[in-house]
Amino acid sequence: MAAVTLGPEGTYSHRATTAVADDGEIDFRQSVTAIVDAVDSGEYDRGVIPIENSIEGSVTESLDALAEYDVAVVREIVTPIRHALLAQGPEFDTVASHSQALAQCRSYLEREYPDATLEAVASTAQGVEFARDDPSVAGIGHPANAEDGVDLEVLAEDIQDQDSNATRFFAIAPAAERSTGGGKTSLVVYPNANYPGLLLELLEPFADRDINLTRVESRPSGQRLGDYVFHVDFEAGLYESRTQAAIADLEELAEKGWVKRLGSYDTEHVVE
Ligand SMILES: O=C(O)C(=O)C[C@]1(C(=O)O)C=C[C@@H](O)C=C1
C-alpha cells in the first residue's frame, strides 16, 4: 500500500504514517493540499494529514483541502508532540520550523530567544534540514531528527508550551474507499445561507438524536465575507440510522449548498 504524507522524512506526519502504513512505501509532498490532491487523483491509496493541535487548533489548510477535494477519511491518529530545538551549536539567529510548531513553542521562544527571527517553512523536518545546512539556523522538530546526519545538537527538549501537546491526524483514501465501519464521523456542511438561528438549526439534528458532537469548526467559504463552511465531527457511525436521519435534515437545511460525507473511522492513539 503506497502512502503519501508531509515531507521530508522525519516529520510528525511521517511518524503518524508509519503507524498506519508500516508495511508499504511512503512518499512525501511539501504541502497538505498536494497530499490530498495526490490521493484524490488515485495516485496513492493512503495519505496522512495533520488536522488539529491541542495548543494551536486547526490546521486550516487541511480543513480547506477536505472541503475542496473528494477523499474519504478512514482513520484518526492522535499522537503526543514533544518538540526539540536542534542546531549546529548555540550561536544561531533564526529558528525555522512549521508554523504550527513555532506557535506550539511560542512562550518558550519568546522567553529564551526573544531576538531570534522565526521562519515558517513547509515542515518541521525541513526546518531541521535548514539547520543542518546553516549554522545560523536552528530547527524545531522531533529530537530523533538530530540522529539522521552529522553536526546537529539537541539544544533543548520538550520545548512545547504545554506538556500534553498532541496533534490529531486523518488517514485519507480515494473517495470510493469510504469505510462502512467506525464509531466517529466527519461531515462538511455548506449551507450557502445566512439567517438568524442558522447555526442552531445545523446543530439540532444531532441534539435531537442524542449524537455527541466532538468538534464544530467554521471556515470561510471563500465566496464572500461572512459566508462559512462548517466541519462537524461526532460520535456515531455514518451508516447508523440516527446519523442518516440527521444528514437528511442537514441536506434539507443546506438545499442551496451541500453536505459532504468525509467518512467514518476509528481512533488510534500512537505514543512515541
Ligand atoms: O511539520 C511536521 O512535522 C508536520 O507533520 C506538520 C505538523 C502540523 O501541521 O501540525 C504536525 C504535527 C505538529 O503539530 C507540527 C507540525
Side-chain angles (χ1 to χ4, degrees):
M1 185 176 74
V4 60
T5 193
L6 190 68
E9 221 167 285
T11 61
Y12 293 98
S13 300
H14 180 201
R15 290 174 177 280
T17 309
T18 320
V20 294
D22 48 0
D23 50 348
E25 177 193 324
I26 299 176
D27 286 342
F28 300 102
R29 291 289 184 279
Q30 289 247 12
S31 78
V32 163
T33 309
I35 297 164
V36 178
D37 186 56
V39 173
D40 181 49
S41 68
E43 204 181 329
Y44 292 91
D45 329 299
R46 287 288 179 277
V48 172
I49 57 173
I51 291 296
E52 181 184 13
N53 172 264
S54 57
I55 298 178
E56 192 49 21
S58 288
V59 181
T60 52
E61 187 184 347
S62 297
L63 298 187
D64 294 347
L66 288 174
E68 184 186 339
Y69 288 85
D70 195 16
V71 293
V73 175
V74 294
R75 212 144 164 192
E76 174 183 62
I77 307 146
V78 179
T79 172
I81 304 288
R82 314 194 75 89
H83 292 300
L85 185 68
L86 310 169
Q88 296 184 29
E91 301 302 319
F92 58 85
D93 55 30
T94 300
V95 179
S97 196
H98 191 280
S99 57
Q100 274 274 343
L102 292 171
Q104 291 161 26
C105 303
R106 189 177 287 129
S107 308
Y108 169 84
L109 291 168
E110 274 169 11
R111 190 175 64 241
E112 301 293 330
Y113 299 99
D115 299 328
T117 302
L118 306 184
E119 194 184 332
V121 296
S123 69
T124 56
Q126 190 183 64
V128 175
E129 273 189 354
F130 289 165
R132 209 182 290 290
D133 290 344
D134 184 345
S136 72
V137 177
I140 290 177
H142 193 285
N145 287 310
E147 294 156 18
D148 294 341
V150 285
D151 290 340
L152 271 191
E153 279 177 45
V154 178
L155 296 179
E157 282 196 85
D158 272 333
I159 61 169
Q160 65 284 348
D161 291 336
Q162 299 287 340
D163 240 21
S164 56
N165 191 27
T167 295
R168 200 173 151 229
F169 297 84
F170 277 164
I172 55 170
E177 281 186 52
R178 191 160 291 121
S179 108
T180 52
K184 254 181 107 174
T185 299
S186 292
L187 305 176
V188 192
V189 185
Y190 178 47
N192 194 12
N194 181 13
Y195 55 84
L198 168 66
L199 184 57
L200 188 64
E201 285 184 24
L202 281 176
L203 302 181
E204 264 169 353
F206 300 99
D208 288 350
R209 295 173 180 90
D210 212 19
I211 297 175
N212 188 35
L213 297 175
T214 52
R215 187 176 63 132
V216 178
E217 187 86 35
S218 59
R219 288 288 304 147
S221 69
Q223 302 299 315
R224 54 192 173 268
L225 204 59
D227 192 47
Y228 297 98
V229 167
F230 296 93
H231 291 253
V232 184
D233 296 351
F234 52 89
E235 288 173 334
L238 181 55
Y239 297 96
E240 285 182 36
S241 54
R242 56 181 180 153
T243 304
Q244 291 295 317
I247 291 176
D249 285 359
L250 287 178
E251 280 181 327
E252 216 169 287
L253 261 167
E255 55 176 1
K256 292 195 198 123
W258 42 260
V259 176
K260 183 180 273 191
R261 297 149 175 81
L262 291 178
S264 277
Y265 47 85
D266 285 320
T267 307
E268 185 154 332
H269 291 266
V270 177
V271 181
E272 297 228 3

